[in-house]
C-alpha cells in the first residue's frame, strides 16, 4: 500500500518523539500491504520510516512487540524508535523506525542471486527463537474447505518464528544486495513451509519455478536441513492466494512489474496450480 504524505499533526508528533526540530515528508514506500508507509526526514538529511495503521488496528501492537525482539537479525531488521499504539495523535496507530538502506526491488538483473539471498534471509528468521505468546498462524480451516486435507497433513510440523508475508516486496535492496526485511505486523508461529511456499509462489509469479527452486535450495542450505513437504506447502499457498490474488496487483505494478496486473496474476496463479496438480 502506498502512502499519501502524513498530516502536519503526525509529523509534529514524530519530530517530538525523535527529539528533532522538524520532520518533512520525503516519499512514499511501495511494496507493503498493511500500513501506509512513508520516509520522513530532517532538514539536515536524516531519514526515518513512519508507518500509519488503519484506525483501531491491533497489528501495530504485534509489530511493536516483534521489532523489539529481532536483534539477532542485526542489520536486516528495522529498529523501533517511537510508537503511538492507541492512535492518540490522529486516530491511527503509528510507529517510527530506522530506515534500512536501499529500496524495495522486484526487478533484479540476476534473479538467481536474488532468490539465493531471499532464501538465506528467510532461514535466518526461522532460526530465531520463537517469541512466547505469538499466534499460531497455521490453524485448522473449515472441514469443507479444500485446504483442510492439506492442513491435516502438515499441521504436525514444528513451529518457527514466521514473518507471514515474506515476499520480495517486503524486502529492501541496495546495489542488488538484500539489506532488510520489513512489515512485521502479521508475524506469528507456523511450520517452516508456511513462509517458504509463500515466497516460492511470489518467485513463480515474477519468474518461474526454477528461480523458486534456487530460493528453496539456498534456504535449506542456510537453515541446515531440507524443508519437508514442499509440494504440499505449494498447494496450500496457492489455495490461500486463489480468492484474492488480483488484489495484489498494485504491489507488483508499483514496483515495476506492469505485466502483473490483476489478470496477469490470475493467469500466473492458474498456470502454477495446474502445474502443481500435474505433479
Amino acid at each position: 500500500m502506498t502512502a499519501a504524505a502524513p498530516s502536519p499533526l503526525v509529523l509534529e508528533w514524530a519530530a517530538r518523539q525523535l527529539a528533532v526540530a522538524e520532520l518533512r515528508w520525503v516519499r512514499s514506500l511501495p511494496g507493503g500491504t498493511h500500513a501506509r508507509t512513508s520516509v520522513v526526514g530532517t532538514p539536515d538529511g536524516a531519514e526515518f520510516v513512519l508507518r500509519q495503521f488503519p484506525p483501531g488496528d491491533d497489528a501495530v501492537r504485534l509489530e511493536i512487540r516483534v521489532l523489539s525482539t529481532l536483534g539477532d537479525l542485526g542489520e536486516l531488521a528495522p529498529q523501533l524508535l517511537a510508537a503511538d499504539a492507541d492512535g492518540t495523535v490522529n486516530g491511527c496507530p503509528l510507529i517510527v523506525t530506522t530506515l534500512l538502506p536501499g529500496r524495495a526491488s522486484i526487478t533484479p538483473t540476476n534473479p538467481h542471486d536474488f532468490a539465493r539471498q531471499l532464501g538465506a534471509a528467510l532461514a535466518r528468521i526461522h532460526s530465531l527463537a520463537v517469541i512466547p505468546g505469538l499466534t499460531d498462524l497455521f490453524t485448522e480451516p473449515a472441514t469443507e474447505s479444500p485446504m483442510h486435507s492439506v492442513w491435516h497433513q502438515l499441521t504436525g510440523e514444528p513451529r518457527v518464528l514466521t514473518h507471514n508475508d515474506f515476499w520480495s516486496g517486503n524486502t529492501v535492496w541496495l546495489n542488488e544486495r538484500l539489506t532488510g526485511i520489513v512489515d512485521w505486523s502479521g508475524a506469528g508461529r507456523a511450520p517452516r513451509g508456511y513462509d517458504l511456499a509463500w515466497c516460492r509462489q511470489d518467485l513463480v509469479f515474477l519468474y518461474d519455478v526454477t528461480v523458486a527452486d534456487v530460493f528453496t535450495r539456498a534456504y535449506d542450505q542456510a537453515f541446515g536441513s531440507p524443508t519437508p513437504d514442499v509440494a504440499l506447502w505449494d498447494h496450500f499457498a496457492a489455495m490461500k492466494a486463489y480468492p484474492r490474488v488480483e488484489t495484489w496487483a498494485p504491489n507488483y505494478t508499483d514496483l515495476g512489474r506492469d505485466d502483473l496486473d490483476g489478470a496477469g496474476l490470475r493467469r500466473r496463479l492458474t498456470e502454477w496450480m495446474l502445474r502443481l496438480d500435474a505433479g
Side-chain angles (χ1 to χ4, degrees):
M1 178 187 295
T2 55
S7 69
L9 185 66
V10 169
L11 290 173
E12 290 168 7
W13 167 82
R16 289 196 304 272
Q17 298 302 306
L18 297 172
V20 299
E22 180 185 357
L23 280 177
R24 304 169 181 171
W25 179 78
V26 177
R27 64 181 185 275
S28 300
L29 287 179
T33 59
H34 192 79
R36 293 187 174 188
T37 305
S38 297
V39 175
V40 296
T42 63
D44 64 1
E47 293 185 336
F48 310 91
V49 173
L50 173 65
R51 282 168 58 76
Q52 180 171 291
F53 292 73
D57 193 337
D58 283 339
V60 68
R61 299 183 187 279
L62 175 61
E63 184 147 356
I64 290 168
R65 183 179 178 198
V66 172
L67 287 177
S68 67
T69 64
L70 294 179
D72 287 345
L73 274 184
E75 75 287 352
L76 292 182
Q79 296 178 26
L80 181 67
L81 301 175
D84 174 22
D86 295 322
T88 57
V89 175
N90 72 336
C92 296
L94 304 165
I95 63 171
V96 182
T97 69
T98 53
L99 175 65
L100 299 173
R103 298 194 179 205
S105 173
I106 60 173
T107 56
T109 57
N110 186 337
H112 283 193
D113 184 61
F114 181 76
R116 281 190 287 269
Q117 293 187 60
L118 286 169
L122 182 59
R124 285 184 65 178
I125 295 171
H126 288 175
S127 298
L128 296 174
V130 178
I131 302 166
L134 284 186
T135 300
D136 189 340
L137 302 169
F138 195 52
T139 56
E140 183 173 5
T143 54
E144 65 272 14
S145 166
M147 302 171 71
H148 189 270
S149 63
V150 177
W151 173 86
H152 193 268
Q153 296 175 74
L154 297 170
T155 191
E157 295 182 11
R159 271 47 173 173
V160 296
L161 177 63
T162 301
H163 182 279
N164 195 26
D165 194 15
F166 190 84
W167 72 289
S168 52
N170 275 333
T171 56
V172 181
W173 302 77
L174 181 64
N175 298 325
E176 306 223 350
R177 181 178 65 85
L178 193 152
T179 55
I181 303 156
V182 298
D183 196 356
W184 291 89
S185 57
R189 298 180 296 116
R192 293 162 53 192
Y194 191 94
D195 273 340
L196 184 98
W198 203 242
C199 192
R200 278 176 55 82
Q201 182 169 256
D202 168 56
L203 293 171
V204 169
F205 292 165
L206 290 171
Y207 298 103
D208 54 41
V209 69
T210 62
V211 176
D213 288 344
V214 169
F215 159 77
T216 304
R217 287 193 294 272
Y219 169 87
D220 287 347
Q221 181 176 8
F223 192 83
S225 63
T227 306
D229 302 311
V230 171
L232 275 176
W233 281 111
D234 284 339
H235 277 280
F236 184 85
M239 288 187 287
K240 184 180 174 185
Y242 186 82
R244 56 195 173 102
V245 69
E246 287 91 349
T247 67
W248 303 342
N251 300 316
Y252 286 96
T253 58
D254 284 351
L255 292 170
R257 285 297 300 266
D258 294 340
D259 57 314
L260 293 179
D261 57 8
L265 286 168
R266 175 59 62 188
R267 182 179 65 255
R268 293 289 182 98
L269 179 59
T270 299
E271 293 168 353
W272 178 226
M273 293 180 80
L274 289 172
R275 177 171 182 145
L276 292 173
D277 288 342

